[in-house]
Amino acid sequence: MISITDLHKQFAQLKVLRGISLDVAKGKVVVIIGPSGSGKTTLLRCLNALEVPTSGSVQIGDVRLDFSKKVERSSLPSLRKQTGMVFQSYNLFPHMTALENVMEGPVTVKKISKEKAKEKASSLLVKVGLGDKLDHYPAQLSGGQQQRVGIARALAMDPQVMLFDEPTSALDPELVGEVLKVMKELAQEGMTMVVVTHEMGFAREVADEVIFMDQGIIVEHGTPQQLFTQPREERTRQFLQHLK
Amino acid sequence: MQMSLSNFFDNPERLDRWITIAQSSFLPLVKGALLYSLTLAIVAFFFGLILAILTALARISGIKPLVAIARVYVSIIRGTPLLVQLFIIFFGLPSIGIMIDPIPSAIIGFSLSVGAYSSEVVRAAILSIPKGQWEAAYSIGMTYWQALQRVILPQAARVSVPPLSNSFISLVKDTSLAAAILVPEMFRKAQEIVASTYEPLLLYSEAALIYWIICFILSIIQDRLENKLDRYV
């Protein structure tokens, strides 16, 4: 489903990604962990070209972009249509209600009729447990509720892959659970997911594969069991020690 | 000073004359205000805003020739008096064969002016929208123009309503400059009536009063608009 080959990203003099290759099969949940500055968020943002990689290629579904050649800006939406993204700070559209937020993609990008989009958006919001908040504006919702609207907004585009960028990091501890619950349900339904998170409990329970990144490379990857209990690399051990 | 003041109040005939003139001039002035001053302001503001948005986008684009054109345009318009610009368009251009009627001339002049001044407001408003909004729009597959139209500009509009309302109110008053290029708006009407009645204090005060009432109503509309746009914040 996802195939990344030798991905590099450089900001001015700073090399953030130094050759990342990774394959994710359909229906798998991959959790990326690592210290801040390790490049994990940048990697995630390269997957939908919010950051345009310096070189390397990204394939999602049947869309492949090779960034070693010149990539037209007009070809980026094709990659983005394969992916849904959930942001750390939700980034809901504040001038639209929850329902309008979720309808926006289908109506504006996919040109689906308003009635159909509305029907679909309502059912998605019911699914994330917000059936009674359709007409609320983001400012009237808690962080956990906003993030669930964010998930519904991404799902509305029928993405092949869902990308989560520290989806619970901005939330109060008691609101984290409701967001993780929705993510777990998605995983159980067979959604392919790439999740950057500090929630090790989620990683242990839901991930098929955990990736540990540091200084722009993948240091180690494996099943949660493997990585959390018997890390091979010293650097991974240090990092996991810090978490305890 | 004292002499003439007492003369005026001791002269009931003059007062009667004032009342008569004020009554007969009121309707033509209001008509000039609504038909020309306000209409001119609305039309020019409409085109001016489009120009302002395009100019702001050009400035933000980072594409060098576009940035340069936008900067030169804003610099020229802001660096020269509006009255002089109107004179160049209406009295100047005919000498190279470009004849434009008074009203279109005024619309062009005022639109260019609004475009330049408001572009800075629009630019600041667009830049004030968090980067995450662009990213969220892109992440659901929107193009630049879709993101701009559906996500960024509606939010930027909210931010820019107070400064743009002020520009509009200024514009309504600035339309009086069009009197100088023969547009029959309120101030020119007042001048014409003065020419036949020799009562400048009365007529110009009356015109001022009407400008004031219009601007007062506009500022009430501005408040309402701001409240309405604030509802989701």
Side-chain angles (χ1 to χ4, degrees):
Chain A
M1 180 56 68
I2 305 178
S3 182
I4 306 166
T5 320
D6 198 26
L7 204 65
H8 288 259
K9 175 65 186 179
Q10 193 165 350
F11 293 105
Q13 291 305 308
L14 189 68
K15 288 178 178 161
V16 184
L17 296 180
R18 300 183 297 145
I20 303 274
S21 296
L22 175 69
D23 288 290
V24 180
K26 189 170 164 57
K28 296 292 180 197
V29 177
V30 172
V31 169
I32 305 175
I33 60 172
S36 58
S38 61
K40 54 193 194 302
T41 288
T42 305
L43 172 60
L44 197 71
R45 290 162 59 85
C46 282
L47 289 183
N48 68 351
L50 281 185
E51 301 293 353
V52 176
T54 314
S55 68
S57 73
V58 173
Q59 173 163 7
I60 297 178
D62 31 338
V63 177
R64 182 169 184 275
L65 293 184
D66 186 352
F67 294 99
S68 305
K69 301 172 201 147
K70 174 123 182 71
V71 172
E72 290 298 322
R73 198 165 81 162
S74 57
S75 64
L76 301 183
S78 65
L79 190 65
R80 290 174 184 149
K81 279 173 195 167
Q82 303 287 319
T83 61
M85 187 160 206
V86 176
F87 298 88
Q88 181 176 358
S89 46
Y90 334 130
N91 296 354
L92 294 184
F93 306 132
H95 57 303
M96 298 180 195
T97 62
L99 189 68
E100 288 166 345
N101 263 280
V102 181
M103 286 169 62
E104 186 57 34
V107 172
T108 301
V109 178
K110 285 194 167 174
K111 316 283 182 205
I112 287 170
S113 77
K114 279 211 167 142
E115 297 82 66
K116 271 196 177 164
K118 194 172 177 178
E119 215 171 286
K120 181 171 188 185
S122 319
S123 71
L124 280 170
L125 283 167
V126 169
K127 180 176 165 177
V128 299
L130 294 171
D132 55 339
K133 305 282 186 208
L134 301 185
D135 296 322
H136 285 55
Y137 284 94
Q140 300 168 310
L141 299 172
S142 73
Q145 291 168 337
Q146 289 192 53
Q147 193 58 295
R148 285 184 283 151
V149 175
I151 294 173
R153 177 176 68 182
L155 288 174
M157 296 302 286
D158 297 318
Q160 304 278 327
V161 175
M162 283 286 281
L163 309 174
F164 294 85
D165 182 15
E166 304 198 21
T168 56
S169 297
L171 293 175
D172 289 339
E174 71 263 32
L175 300 177
V176 170
E178 62 190 60
V179 173
L180 291 182
K181 183 171 158 268
V182 170
M183 291 170 61
K184 269 178 221 169
E185 285 165 9
L186 266 183
Q188 279 156 11
E189 286 169 18
M191 177 60 81
T192 311
M193 293 164 57
V194 181
V195 185
V196 171
T197 187
H198 298 294
E199 294 290 331
M200 295 305 149
F202 177 82
R204 275 204 188 84
E205 200 181 329
V206 184
D208 294 298
E209 186 173 10
V210 180
I211 287 171
F212 173 67
M213 276 183 74
D214 192 26
Q215 297 182 347
I217 55 167
I218 294 178
V219 176
E220 186 170 354
H221 64 104
T223 64
Q225 169 76 11
Q226 208 178 353
L227 198 117
F228 286 123
T229 54
Q230 305 152 321
R232 280 178 309 238
E233 301 290 329
E234 180 55 32
R235 186 69 192 91
T236 317
R237 227 165 295 159
Q238 282 173 0
F239 177 74
L240 292 172
Q241 215 116 57
H242 262 314
L243 291 177
K244 283 167 191 166
Chain B
M1 177 74 173
Q2 232 170 9
M3 275 297 290
S4 54
L5 259 183
S6 64
N7 272 352
F8 177 74
F9 286 109
D10 291 344
N11 186 348
E13 264 172 50
R14 178 99 192 266
L15 203 61
D16 278 347
R17 186 175 137 76
W18 266 45
I19 291 167
T20 319
I21 295 173
Q23 277 172 345
S24 64
S25 64
F26 186 70
L27 218 58
L29 287 188
V30 169
K31 234 169 116 181
L34 295 182
L35 230 53
Y36 293 99
S37 308
L38 204 54
T39 312
L40 198 58
I42 290 168
V43 173
F45 198 68
F46 174 78
F47 289 119
L49 267 189
I50 293 174
L51 212 49
I53 292 170
L54 293 178
T55 307
L57 292 177
R59 282 287 305 273
I60 294 168
S61 72
I63 302 165
K64 275 185 184 148
L66 287 182
V67 175
I69 292 170
R71 284 209 161 152
V72 169
Y73 159 58
V74 172
S75 174
I76 290 175
I77 299 295
R78 290 216 296 193
T80 55
L82 180 50
L83 187 59
V84 175
Q85 294 162 15
L86 291 175
F87 269 50
I88 290 174
I89 295 167
F90 184 69
F91 295 115
L93 290 184
S95 57
I96 53 165
I98 303 173
M99 311 272 261
I100 308 173
D101 283 343
I103 292 173
S105 295
I107 290 174
I108 292 170
F110 291 128
S111 300
L112 287 172
S113 167
V114 170
Y117 281 95
S118 299
S119 72
E120 291 297 298
V121 171
V122 174
R123 188 171 79 101
I126 291 176
L127 291 178
S128 78
I129 306 303
K131 211 171 140 238
Q133 291 291 312
W134 284 101
E135 294 184 346
Y138 286 149
S139 78
I140 54 173
M142 286 192 189
T143 61
Y144 173 82
W145 288 106
Q146 286 171 334
L148 191 71
Q149 212 183 345
R150 299 290 307 166
V151 176
I152 304 301
L153 286 183
Q155 295 183 65
R158 210 200 97 239
V159 182
S160 45
V161 160
L164 287 183
S165 307
N166 291 338
S167 317
F168 182 70
I169 290 174
S170 292
L171 177 63
V172 171
K173 293 178 290 175
D174 283 347
T175 55
S176 59
L177 292 173
I181 58 166
L182 316 181
V183 175
E185 49 69 64
M186 174 163 63
F187 185 53
R188 182 156 190 92
K189 278 270 156 58
Q191 287 174 324
E192 283 166 9
I193 300 171
V194 168
S196 61
T197 60
Y198 304 105
E199 293 289 0
L201 177 60
L202 171 67
L203 265 305
Y204 294 147
S205 302
E206 200 179 333
L209 180 71
I210 297 171
Y211 277 121
W212 184 44
I213 291 171
I214 290 175
C215 291
F216 183 73
I217 294 170
L218 288 175
S219 65
I220 292 173
I221 296 173
Q222 175 186 358
D223 284 346
R224 294 234 170 130
L225 197 59
E226 280 173 35
N227 284 336
K228 197 179 158 210
L229 288 166
D230 266 345
R231 74 187 189 277
Y232 55 78
V233 182

